[in-house]
Amino acid sequence: HLSDLQFNLEKLVQKGMTKLVENLFGIHMVEVEMSPYERWDIEHAGTDDESNHGGKNGDGVRKFEFHHDEEGPLGTMYLDLHPRRGKYVHAAHFTIRCGCKPRPQFSSENKKKQHQLPIVALVCNLASRSDDINTGGAILSHGEVETLLHEFGHALHSLLSRTSFQHLSGTRAPIDFVETPSHFMEHFAWEPQFLRLIAPSSMLLDEGILSTLVSTRYAFRGIDVRTQILYALFDQALFGTFYPHGQQQQQQNPSLYHSTQFFALLHQQHNVPYAEGTHWHTRFGHLVTYGAGYYGYLYSQVFALDIWKTRFAVATSDVVAGDDDKHDDVMSRREGTRLWKDMLIHGGGKDPNVMLRDVLGRAPNVDTFFDRA
C-alpha cells in the first residue's frame, strides 16, 4: 500500500541529493567532520561530549562542503533534520552567511578575486524512526522526501549564486520568484529515474508501486490550487487596503473585520472545506514572513513547472527556438548547467523575467501549469 511506503534518509542524502547535484551541475557534495564548537544541537556547546548529539548518520547536525572541479569551493551546508527539545518546529532554509564579492579592504592582495562563500542551514523536523529499510537509519514518508528536496532547492539557490552584494545573494530575490528553485526540486520526488536511486529494494522489485505513486501526484490538485489561492487572498486582505479598519467599518462588515470569520468566509466562497470552531490561520507562519506576498508561492509553481516540462521532463520536453537536441535524462548536465548559469548564479541580482526567458528560451507560459499531458 502507498500509505506504507517508506524511504531511507541516508539513501536519500548519499545516493539521491549527492547524485542530483553531481549529475545536474558537476558538483561534489561531501560530508565533513564538525568541530563540537560549531554545533548548535548539543546541550553544552563547546564540549567534546559525543553523547549530546547524534553525529554522522545519527540525529544530529551534519556538515557538507560543496566543490566544483572548475569553479572551486562553493560553500557549506548544514543539515539539521530531526526534532529535539527547543528546536524550530517547521522546515526551512536559513542563510548563516551570504555569498558576495569581498570588499578590497578586507581582502589580501592574493585573495582579491576570492568570493565570500555562503554558509546555509537546512532545517527540518523529520521523524527519527530507525526501522531497517534495507540499509538502516531514519525512514521517511514520501511527503518528507518532497519537503527535504524543497528546502534543498532553497539551499542550492544560496550556494550557487555569485553576486557582488550579499543582500542580493541566493534567496534574497523577489518574493514572487524566490520559491521557483525549491518548487523545481520537488519534481524529482515524483520522477521515476530519481526515485529508483532512493527507493527501498521492495519498491524497485515492484514497478507497479512506483508507477502508482507517480500517478497519484495530481489526484487532489484542484483543491490544492484552490486552497493556495484562498491563502493568498487572505494574506492580501490582511496586509492590503481591502481589510476594513475603524469602528464604523467593523460594525458594517463584522464578518470581514474578524479574521477567523473572514477566513471561514473565503473557504465558503471558494468551495474549500472549513472546520468550524477552528482558527488554523493563527499558526500559518507565512502570513508574517510573506506579508502580502504569499501569492508568490503559487506563482512560483507556475515558473518551476514550466522549467521542468520545457527543459527537464524527458517525455514532454519541448523543442524551443535554437534548441532542437532533446535529451533522455531528467538529471541532464546540459540543462542543469543552463539552470545554474542562467538563473541560480544571479540570486536576486537580475530581473526574474530575464532569467526565466534565458532558461526557457521564451517568455514563461502559464498554460504549462494546467497541461498535465
Side-chain angles (χ1 to χ4, degrees):
H1 298 285
L2 290 180
S3 58
D4 299 326
L5 190 58
Q6 298 170 332
F7 294 85
N8 176 263
L9 174 59
E10 197 60 26
K11 202 171 182 180
L12 172 59
V13 173
Q14 298 294 353
K15 293 187 178 181
M17 295 161 63
T18 302
K19 189 71 172 177
L20 195 55
V21 295
E22 180 181 351
N23 285 15
L24 286 175
F25 311 116
I27 291 173
H28 308 290
M29 173 180 160
V30 181
E31 185 165 12
V32 297
E33 294 295 328
M34 289 180 63
S35 161
Y37 294 92
E38 66 180 308
R39 309 190 70 95
W40 60 84
D41 61 332
I42 52 180
E43 186 174 350
H44 303 291
T47 71
D48 293 315
D49 184 1
E50 293 293 323
S51 65
N52 282 323
H53 59 80
K56 186 175 179 179
N57 299 331
D59 289 351
V61 176
R62 301 166 65 176
K63 180 180 180 180
F64 292 82
E65 300 286 356
F66 287 69
H67 185 275
H68 188 272
D69 290 340
E70 296 178 2
E71 303 286 344
L74 298 172
T76 301
M77 179 181 72
Y78 293 94
L79 292 184
D80 185 0
L81 302 181
H82 299 288
R84 62 179 176 274
R85 186 177 60 186
K87 181 187 170 183
Y88 177 78
V89 297
H90 301 291
H93 148 270
F94 295 98
T95 303
I96 299 174
R97 183 177 73 186
C98 290
C100 67
K101 288 183 179 179
R103 295 167 64 183
Q105 59 265 44
F106 296 113
S107 303
S108 60
E109 285 298 319
N110 63 340
K111 290 186 177 181
K112 280 187 177 180
K113 294 184 179 180
Q114 183 177 352
H115 197 84
Q116 175 176 289
L117 299 180
I119 303 173
V120 303
L122 200 162
V123 178
C124 293
N125 282 273
L126 308 175
S128 299
R129 301 182 296 267
S130 57
D131 300 338
D132 183 77
I133 299 294
N134 299 322
T135 59
I139 58 176
L140 312 176
S141 68
H142 181 259
E144 289 174 317
V145 171
E146 190 175 30
T147 296
L148 184 52
L149 289 176
H150 178 98
E151 301 305 334
F152 190 46
H154 284 309
L156 290 175
H157 199 184
S158 290
L159 289 168
L160 301 188
S161 75
R162 290 294 179 268
T163 57
S164 297
F165 305 104
Q166 68 171 6
H167 63 277
L168 296 174
S169 174
T171 55
R172 269 62 175 167
I175 201 167
D176 54 6
F177 168 76
V178 72
E179 293 287 344
T180 301
S182 54
H183 283 311
F184 168 79
M185 291 299 293
E186 288 183 25
H187 288 287
F188 287 101
W190 297 93
E191 173 52 48
Q193 182 182 339
F194 179 78
L195 286 171
R196 291 188 185 96
L197 296 176
I198 65 171
S201 300
S202 58
M203 185 175 175
L204 292 174
L205 293 174
D206 189 348
E207 192 69 21
I209 295 180
L210 186 63
S211 60
T212 300
L213 172 64
V214 173
S215 70
T216 63
R217 182 175 190 182
Y218 299 116
F220 300 100
R221 186 57 172 165
I223 192 69
D224 180 51
V225 171
R226 280 177 178 265
T227 301
Q228 289 299 317
I229 292 173
L230 186 154
Y231 294 162
L233 288 172
F234 185 64
D235 175 53
Q236 290 280 311
L238 290 180
F239 291 91
T241 58
F242 171 77
Y243 199 65
H245 299 279
Q247 185 175 3
Q248 182 177 359
Q249 288 181 304
Q250 178 184 1
Q251 294 173 347
Q252 293 174 347
N253 304 283
S255 63
L256 298 182
Y257 191 84
H258 192 289
S259 63
T260 300
Q261 292 180 10
F262 180 59
F263 194 56
L265 178 63
L266 283 176
H267 280 74
Q268 180 183 354
Q269 291 175 342
H270 293 274
N271 295 317
V272 176
Y274 178 76
E276 294 291 342
T278 64
H279 40 83
W280 177 87
H281 58 290
T282 60
R283 61 178 296 275
F284 188 34
H286 284 318
L287 289 176
V288 177
T289 56
Y290 279 76
Y294 185 74
Y295 76 92
Y297 200 80
L298 181 59
Y299 200 62
S300 294
Q301 287 185 27
V302 176
F303 302 142
L305 186 56
D306 203 4
I307 293 172
W308 175 262
K309 296 197 69 174
T310 301
R311 290 300 183 187
F312 290 86
V314 174
T316 58
S317 58
D318 297 330
V319 177
V320 296
D323 182 32
D324 57 359
D325 51 335
K326 290 187 178 182
H327 60 86
D328 59 358
D329 183 4
V330 294
M331 292 182 280
S332 163
R333 176 70 60 81
R334 184 193 73 194
E335 300 304 334
T337 300
R338 188 199 309 270
L339 184 69
W340 180 8
K341 300 302 182 179
D342 287 346
M343 189 174 83
L344 299 177
I345 197 170
H346 299 296
K350 193 173 183 178
D351 185 342
N353 287 300
V354 176
M355 289 189 284
L356 289 167
R357 282 180 175 272
D358 289 343
V359 173
L360 293 166
R362 55 166 173 76
N365 190 340
V366 71
D367 294 339
T368 309
F369 186 75
F370 297 101
D371 179 16
R372 301 300 175 199

